[in-house]
């Protein structure tokens, strides 16, 4: 590559990094004078790259919105970051559409220089994952983008939603935030008609239509915490109540916010000075709780249900019988 062509491509890369670049700054980075910078800019404009001039004390050049995407240029670390992000997103089930991440990765790899493509292939071929690929349905890209716009501009929307029983309904909704959790996308907010909090899975939303008006988001709202707390409060077959001796940090290692609601007990502290917490868990099954409580390794009291007390006793007897084997 000749040096002038290389400098023009370097100029494009500098402009793609964002913001307005002064002529003096560009001249210093390219090792040329101001007149040559202007000539390089003219060459980019001739290639239909939307470069615009900014006047004033802090003026210079920047990329303007254009009808066509200008050529993208990646360094080694940037290309690796993009491709690894696409691979990880696809495996986690968090990329919209069925094939969007695959086609995007293919387009990027197709235009990479051979040297860089070989290095990236070496990394990707030697990469192994400890978990299985995501098995959840991916959200529709238009649904995701429309909800993100509604969250940012606090604009009401109309949702067409399919529930777990495959029933469709149209709902007016105020979207407070988008949350990615455990391979799924969620939107949390409020149904203004009944003034109740709601959280919806994006892969169950069929369409999103913006409405007129606006709304306010409660101060200090944390969308991620709201979604996790909603999981813990969801209606299930069993309502479990435990008292556990330990700090919130100790108990949360095994009972995260998505599983249990914690609050301090009225009795301040145990004999050894440690606090007691009340944990409320809702579950469809109880068989996973005895081994979890054993791994927590903290004193606990089962308040309800009685079935859990029996399961814990059976689990303890089974573990004791294993330990006595020669």
């Amino acid at each position: 590559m000749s040096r002038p062509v290389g400098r023009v491509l370097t100029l494009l890369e500098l402009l793609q990094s964002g913001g307005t670049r002064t002529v003096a700054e560009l001249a210093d980075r390219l090792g040329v004078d101001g007149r040559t910078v202007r000539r390089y800019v003219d060459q980019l404009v001739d290639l239909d790259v939307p470069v615009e001039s900014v006047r004033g004390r802090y003026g210079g050049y920047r990329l303007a919105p254009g009808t066509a995407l200008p050529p993208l240029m990646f360094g080694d670390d940037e290309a690796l970051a993009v491709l690894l992000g696409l691979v990880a997103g696809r495996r986690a089930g968090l990329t919209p559409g069925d094939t969007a991440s695959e086609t995007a990765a293919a387009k990027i790899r197709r235009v990479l220089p051979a040297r860089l493509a070989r290095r990236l292939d070496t990394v990707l071929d030697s990469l192994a994952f400890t978990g299985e690929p995501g098995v959840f349905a991916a959200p529709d890209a238009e649904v995701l983008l429309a909800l993100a716009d509604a969250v940012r501009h606090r604009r009401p929307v109309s949702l067409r939603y399919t529930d777990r029983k495959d029933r469709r309904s149209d709902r007016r909704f105020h979207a407070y935030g988008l949350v990615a959790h455990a391979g799924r996308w969620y939107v949390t907010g409020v149904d203004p008609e009944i003034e109740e909090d709601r959280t919806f899975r994006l892969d169950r939303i069929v369409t999103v239509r913006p409405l007129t008006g606006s709304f306010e988001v409660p101060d200090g709202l944390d969308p991620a915490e709201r979604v996790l707390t909603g999981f813990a409060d969801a209606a299930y077959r069993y309502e479990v109540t435990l008292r556990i001796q330990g700090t919130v940090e100790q108990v949360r290692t095994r009972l995260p916010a998505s599983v249990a609601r914690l609050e301090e007990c009225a009795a301040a502290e145990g004999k050894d000075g440690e606090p007691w917490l009340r944990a409320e868990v809702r579950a469809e099954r109880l068989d996973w709780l005895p081994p979890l409580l054993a791994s927590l390794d903290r004193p606990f009291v089962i308040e309800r249900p009685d079935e859990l007390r029996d399961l814990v006793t059976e689990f303890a007897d089974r573990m004791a019988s294993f330990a006595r084997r020669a």
Side-chain angles (χ1 to χ4, degrees):
M1 182 183 297
S2 65
R3 295 194 67 182
V5 174
R7 288 180 181 139
V8 171
L9 294 177
T10 301
L11 171 62
L12 176 59
E13 185 175 7
L14 291 171
L15 294 176
Q16 284 180 334
S17 64
T20 301
R21 303 280 185 164
T22 65
V23 174
E25 177 188 1
L26 294 172
D28 181 65
R29 295 291 295 273
L30 297 173
V32 297
D33 56 26
R35 179 179 297 180
T36 304
V37 169
R38 296 183 183 91
R39 188 169 70 250
Y40 290 165
V41 168
D42 290 339
Q43 292 178 24
L44 290 176
V45 172
D46 290 340
L47 294 172
D48 293 328
V49 176
V51 182
E52 67 177 10
S53 175
V54 180
R55 298 184 180 278
R57 179 180 178 184
Y58 301 103
Y61 295 103
R62 67 186 178 194
L63 285 184
T67 56
L69 182 69
L72 293 175
M73 297 180 58
F74 293 116
D76 291 17
D77 55 343
E78 293 171 329
L80 180 60
V82 171
L83 288 176
L84 287 179
L86 290 170
V87 171
R90 182 170 69 247
R91 288 188 60 92
L94 297 179
T95 52
D98 295 331
T99 61
S101 60
E102 294 182 8
T103 56
K107 290 177 181 179
I108 293 174
R109 295 175 73 168
R110 188 163 57 244
V111 299
L112 290 177
R115 177 194 60 81
L116 181 54
R118 285 194 299 270
R119 296 188 66 189
L120 294 178
D121 286 338
T122 299
V123 174
L124 297 175
D125 291 343
S126 61
L127 185 62
F129 292 86
T130 57
E132 294 296 322
V135 295
F136 300 124
D140 181 81
E142 288 301 320
V143 167
L144 178 60
L145 293 172
L147 287 173
D149 184 74
V151 170
R152 179 172 185 178
H153 298 288
R154 299 183 179 181
R155 182 180 298 121
V157 294
S158 175
L159 303 179
R160 176 157 293 180
Y161 188 76
T162 304
D163 65 15
R164 66 178 65 182
K165 295 183 179 179
D166 205 31
R167 298 174 301 192
R168 286 195 176 183
S169 61
D170 292 319
R171 305 163 182 257
R172 185 180 174 92
F173 189 62
H174 292 174
Y176 291 165
L178 293 166
V179 178
H181 172 70
R184 292 194 190 278
W185 284 93
Y186 298 87
V187 60
T188 186
V190 68
D191 184 330
E193 295 182 358
I194 57 177
E195 296 184 354
E196 288 190 4
D197 296 342
R198 287 287 184 267
T199 295
F200 298 116
R201 275 174 37 186
L202 262 65
D203 59 289
R204 288 181 174 167
I205 297 176
V206 181
T207 58
V208 178
R209 182 169 56 88
L211 303 175
T212 59
S214 61
F215 60 86
E216 294 297 323
V217 178
D219 292 337
L221 181 114
D222 184 342
E225 185 66 25
R226 200 168 187 265
V227 169
L228 293 177
T229 302
F231 291 150
D233 291 341
Y236 289 100
R237 181 180 177 186
Y238 294 100
E239 294 185 1
V240 179
T241 305
L242 307 162
R243 294 199 311 274
I244 305 173
Q245 188 177 26
T247 65
V248 172
E249 291 75 17
Q250 290 169 331
V251 175
R252 281 297 186 213
T253 60
R254 292 293 183 269
L255 291 172
S258 59
V259 173
R261 178 184 290 274
L262 299 180
E263 62 179 15
E264 293 184 3
C265 292
E269 294 182 343
K271 293 181 180 180
D272 53 2
E274 287 192 323
W276 282 81
L277 301 173
R278 176 170 280 103
E280 296 180 357
V281 180
R282 303 189 182 207
E284 285 294 320
R285 302 184 350 260
L286 297 175
D287 54 351
W288 58 276
L289 276 169
L292 183 145
L293 292 172
S295 67
L296 188 58
D297 195 24
R298 308 295 307 174
F300 65 88
V301 175
I302 298 173
E303 294 185 352
R304 63 172 179 171
D306 291 337
E307 297 100 308
L308 178 59
R309 189 175 292 106
D310 296 336
L311 287 174
V312 170
T313 301
E314 293 172 5
F315 179 80
D317 291 342
R318 191 162 62 250
M319 292 299 101
S321 69
F322 294 160
R324 287 193 293 267
R325 290 181 179 177

